[in-house]
Coordinates of all heavy atoms in Angstrom, one line a residue:
L12 N -1.9 -5.4 2.1 CA -2.3 -5.6 0.7 C -1.1 -5.1 -0.2 O -0.9 -5.7 -1.3 CB -3.6 -4.9 0.4 CG -4.9 -5.5 0.9 CD1 -6.0 -4.6 0.6 CD2 -5.1 -6.9 0.4
I13 N -0.4 -4.0 0.2 CA 0.7 -3.6 -0.6 C 1.8 -4.6 -0.6 O 2.4 -4.9 -1.7 CB 1.2 -2.2 -0.1 CG1 0.2 -1.1 -0.4 CG2 2.5 -1.8 -0.6 CD1 0.5 0.2 0.3
L14 N 2.1 -5.2 0.6 CA 3.1 -6.2 0.6 C 2.7 -7.5 -0.2 O 3.5 -8.1 -0.8 CB 3.3 -6.6 2.1 CG 4.1 -5.6 2.9 CD1 4.2 -6.0 4.4 CD2 5.5 -5.3 2.3
A15 N 1.4 -7.8 -0.2 CA 1.0 -9.0 -1.0 C 1.1 -8.7 -2.5 O 1.5 -9.5 -3.3 CB -0.5 -9.3 -0.6
S16 N 0.8 -7.4 -2.9 CA 0.9 -7.0 -4.3 C 2.4 -7.1 -4.7 O 2.8 -7.5 -5.8 CB 0.3 -5.7 -4.5 OG 0.6 -5.3 -5.8
L17 N 3.3 -6.6 -3.8 CA 4.7 -6.7 -4.0 C 5.2 -8.1 -4.2 O 6.0 -8.4 -5.2 CB 5.5 -6.0 -2.9 CG 7.0 -5.9 -3.0 CD1 7.4 -5.1 -4.2 CD2 7.6 -5.4 -1.7
G18 N 4.7 -9.0 -3.4 CA 5.1 -10.4 -3.5 C 4.6 -11.1 -4.8 O 5.3 -11.8 -5.4
S19 N 3.4 -10.8 -5.1 CA 2.9 -11.3 -6.3 C 3.6 -10.8 -7.5 O 3.8 -11.5 -8.5 CB 1.3 -11.1 -6.4 OG 1.0 -9.7 -6.6
G20 N 3.9 -9.5 -7.5 CA 4.7 -9.0 -8.7 C 6.0 -9.6 -8.8 O 6.5 -9.9 -9.9
M21 N 6.7 -9.9 -7.7 CA 8.0 -10.6 -7.7 C 7.8 -12.0 -8.2 O 8.6 -12.4 -9.0 CB 8.6 -10.6 -6.3 CG 10.0 -11.1 -6.3 SD 10.8 -10.9 -4.7 CE 9.7 -11.9 -3.6
F22 N 6.8 -12.7 -7.8 CA 6.6 -14.0 -8.3 C 6.2 -14.0 -9.8 O 6.8 -14.9 -10.5 CB 5.3 -14.6 -7.5 CG 5.0 -16.0 -8.0 CD1 5.7 -17.1 -7.7 CD2 3.8 -16.1 -8.8 CE1 5.4 -18.3 -8.1 CE2 3.4 -17.4 -9.2 CZ 4.2 -18.5 -8.9
F23 N 5.4 -13.1 -10.3 CA 5.1 -13.1 -11.7 C 6.3 -12.7 -12.5 O 6.5 -13.1 -13.6 CB 4.0 -12.1 -12.0 CG 2.6 -12.6 -11.3 CD1 1.7 -11.7 -10.8 CD2 2.3 -14.0 -11.3 CE1 0.5 -12.1 -10.3 CE2 1.1 -14.3 -10.8 CZ 0.2 -13.4 -10.3
L24 N 7.2 -11.8 -12.0 CA 8.4 -11.5 -12.7 C 9.3 -12.6 -12.9 O 9.9 -12.8 -14.0 CB 9.1 -10.3 -11.9 CG 10.3 -9.7 -12.6 CD1 9.9 -9.0 -13.9 CD2 11.0 -8.8 -11.6

Side-chain angles (χ1 to χ4, degrees):
L12 289 174
I13 288 171
L14 288 176
S16 176
L17 180 65
S19 68
M21 186 173 60
F22 175 75
F23 293 144
L24 183 64

